[in-house]
Each structure stands twice: as structure tokens, then as C-alpha cells.
Amino acid sequence: PSPSPSPSPSSSPSPDVSGHVPTPDLLSELLSATPGTPNIGTPNIGTPDIGTPDMPELLSVNYAVVAEFGSWDKALTGLASRLGTLGVRRGQLVGVYAHKANASAYSEDVLTAFYSLALPGRGALSLRMAAEQSNTLSWAQLHQRAAHTVASLADRSELVAVNAVGGGVSAAVLVITDTDLPADLTVPVRKVRVLHASGGSFAEATLQLEASLVSLGVRRGQVLSVDAHLEAAGAVVHQEAAVVSALYSPDLPGCGEVRLRLSSLSAARGKGWAQLDALTADGFAALELGTIADLLGMSAAHAPEGKAEIPVWYYAPADPACAPAPPAGGQ
């Protein structure tokens, strides 16, 4: 893996930072912001206009950030504690992403969680993490290990996030769950497979990923997660390819063709992650979602030209011939 240099944020994340209250000014800024990956003229990619939201519960998305030196586990423990203090319960997490504070080997491990207390809650959070981290394994190998963990989960709703993280001296793929991890990860509940696609941008890579999923016969409802990372593009110095990865299970029920959408915001060097977090939190209300289960994942990337970028993936609206998606907690 060849992680890219990180931008220098205007301020480092503090170990205990809570979210914000969305404001009309931030919504206006979101509408005028330049996306990190442009609408490339297809019906599947782009951010819908903010009008009447499909899910009013996402009008009140907040976020919490925790940073720890050299330990993803400590960062998750701090994040879980913070979310508990804020009253966040199972079913109220919207998304989680991870990134290194900068390219230094000693930079902080940063976790950011987006949540909405307007979503139905169903008990206390019990966040756990399996961190596949190495300076010798390839991204494909790390994702394959993550797939083994995801395959052992009894219920797909127990999966909170899969994040690929570059930076420092190693790469990592983090699996965050809302349940204790099984003691024996060698006994899968279902088959989980990994698929990667690359391109010159996350939008291009997402189109390639969608085409590959369709060609394999993957159906809507069978994709478990989508995440992304950057890696060296051949021998070209300082040029990187955008790689988007999906975990999917052919054992899950599915209906209709997989159609992915990508919403992404970026900020120039010096703007910092805090601005992107605020805009991303407000942007969830603009997504055309049927249920919260239509969200497939989010990532953080130190994009070319020193930009920080947060891409979010979700399903396009379901085929009317398909039954509504099962409620969270369904198998």
C-alpha cells in the first residue's frame, strides 16, 4: 500500500469533540460547495438537490470525533464513551469513517461518527473493532481478512463500518461492529466476497465497481459495505489511483439491479476536517434514501492537490417492483 500525504488541517482533532447543530448557512454552503468528485454525467453519480428530504430524521445529523495516538482500539473506546454520553443508541448511527491526522508515523488515529437521535433507538451501543493492519500485506489481503470478520457476524445490522486507512508507516482496514466479535472467526455465517475497482477519481472507480457488481449478478440488498483508498498508480511519482472496494454476500436476499450513488465533498489544504464533517452531516438530508440501510459506507481520503475528501456511497432508489427493504436487524 502507498498512502498519500495528508493535508495539514487548520486544527488537530481534540480527544473529545462533539457535534454541531445544522444551520441554514451550512446548508447553503453545501449547495455551493465544489464536490470532491464531480457529477460526470451519469444517472448514478452526484448529490441530489436539497428539497423535501426523503428521511426527515437526517435533518438533525450530528457528529462526534475522537483522536488517539497509535491505537485504533483506544480511539474506538473513546468514541463509544462519547456517543454513550450523548445518548446515542443502536440504530442511530448514520456512518463512521477513519483517517490518520497526517502522514507522520506518529500521527493520531481519528474516528468520526455521524448520528441522529431522531432515528429509532433500540438499546445501548456495544461498539467493537477488528483492525487488520500491516506494512507488508496488500490492500486486497487486508480487505480479505476484513471479509472473514464480516462473514462471522450473525446479523448484517451488526456491521457499523468498514474503513480503509492509509498514512503513517502501515495501512489498515478496520471493521467496526455493534456487537461482540465471535471468538472463532473461522466459522462463517455466510459467504462474504470482496470486489475492487479503480479509476482516476472516486466517481470513475464507483462506476467501474457498479458495472462489476452487475456483471457478477449481485443484487440490491447484497452489498454489505463500500469503502475507498488511494494507492500508487504504476511508476508515476505523486500520482495515485482511486480504489473503491465492496464487501458483498450472495447469500443475502436481493432484489433488483445494483445501482450505486456517490456523494463527496472536499476541502483545500488548511480548511481542515471540521468543516468537511459539518458539511457532510448536513448533506445526509439531501440523499435520496428509502431507509437508513440504503447507506453503504463512507471514507476519508487525502485527495490530490492536498485536498481532504469524504465520499459517501448509497443505493439509488429501489426498483418499484421490489419489496421495501427489510427493517434494520433483518437478515
Side-chain angles (χ1 to χ4, degrees):
S2 178
S4 61
S6 303
S8 299
S10 55
S11 59
S12 299
S14 65
D16 188 36
V17 180
S18 59
H20 75 296
V21 177
T23 66
D25 288 343
L26 279 175
L27 290 174
S28 298
E29 189 173 354
L30 173 63
L31 285 171
S32 62
T34 301
T37 48
N39 187 321
I40 59 176
T42 76
N44 296 342
I45 302 295
T47 304
D49 291 335
I50 295 178
T52 303
D54 291 279
M55 292 190 64
E57 301 93 335
L58 299 184
L59 284 169
S60 55
V61 173
N62 293 294
Y63 62 94
V65 184
V66 169
E68 289 285 350
F69 280 105
S71 174
W72 290 112
D73 287 328
K74 286 183 180 179
L76 184 69
T77 298
L79 183 64
S81 175
R82 182 60 182 156
L83 291 171
T85 300
L86 292 167
V88 181
R89 301 180 64 78
R90 284 186 173 178
Q92 295 179 328
L93 284 176
V94 176
V96 178
Y97 78 85
H99 69 95
K100 300 290 287 186
N102 56 60
S104 165
Y106 305 102
S107 65
E108 293 170 302
D109 296 334
V110 185
L111 290 175
T112 303
F114 295 86
Y115 64 92
S116 172
L117 298 181
L119 289 167
R122 56 178 192 276
L125 284 173
S126 181
L127 297 183
R128 299 291 187 271
M129 176 186 290
E132 303 296 342
Q133 193 164 357
S134 174
N135 58 5
T136 58
L137 296 179
S138 68
W139 286 109
Q141 290 170 313
L142 291 170
H143 274 94
Q144 194 59 56
R145 291 189 174 195
H148 285 308
T149 300
V150 174
S152 70
L153 298 177
D155 193 301
R156 64 181 177 184
S157 69
E158 295 170 347
L159 178 63
V160 173
V162 176
N163 284 149
V165 188
V169 296
S170 64
V173 176
L174 313 177
V175 177
I176 301 174
T177 68
D178 191 10
T179 186
D180 289 333
L181 293 170
D184 187 357
L185 297 179
T186 65
V187 182
V189 174
R190 61 181 63 84
K191 298 187 191 76
V192 173
R193 296 171 179 164
V194 186
L195 189 62
H196 308 278
S198 61
S201 68
F202 289 128
E204 183 180 327
T206 299
L207 283 177
Q208 294 295 331
L209 180 69
E210 180 187 83
S212 296
L213 289 167
V214 170
S215 70
L216 290 170
V218 180
R219 312 294 284 171
R220 193 181 199 278
Q222 294 180 328
V223 179
L224 291 161
S225 69
V226 179
D227 67 275
H229 65 274
L230 297 172
E231 62 183 36
V236 181
V237 178
H238 301 311
Q239 182 173 337
E240 293 175 304
V243 182
V244 178
S245 306
L247 270 58
Y248 68 95
S249 176
D251 294 341
L252 290 170
C255 180
E257 192 172 81
V258 169
R259 289 171 59 83
L260 302 178
R261 282 186 173 173
L262 165 66
S263 173
S264 188
L265 292 172
S266 65
R269 184 184 299 274
K271 293 292 184 181
W273 292 100
Q275 180 192 38
L276 279 180
D277 287 340
L279 293 175
T280 298
D282 290 331
F284 282 111
L287 305 184
E288 197 174 358
L289 301 173
T291 73
I292 198 67
D294 287 345
L295 284 169
L296 297 173
M298 61 192 307
S299 288
H302 303 299
E305 300 177 355
K307 290 183 178 179
E309 186 172 349
I310 302 177
V312 178
W313 293 270
Y314 58 105
Y315 281 127
D319 186 325
C322 292
Q331 303 236 0

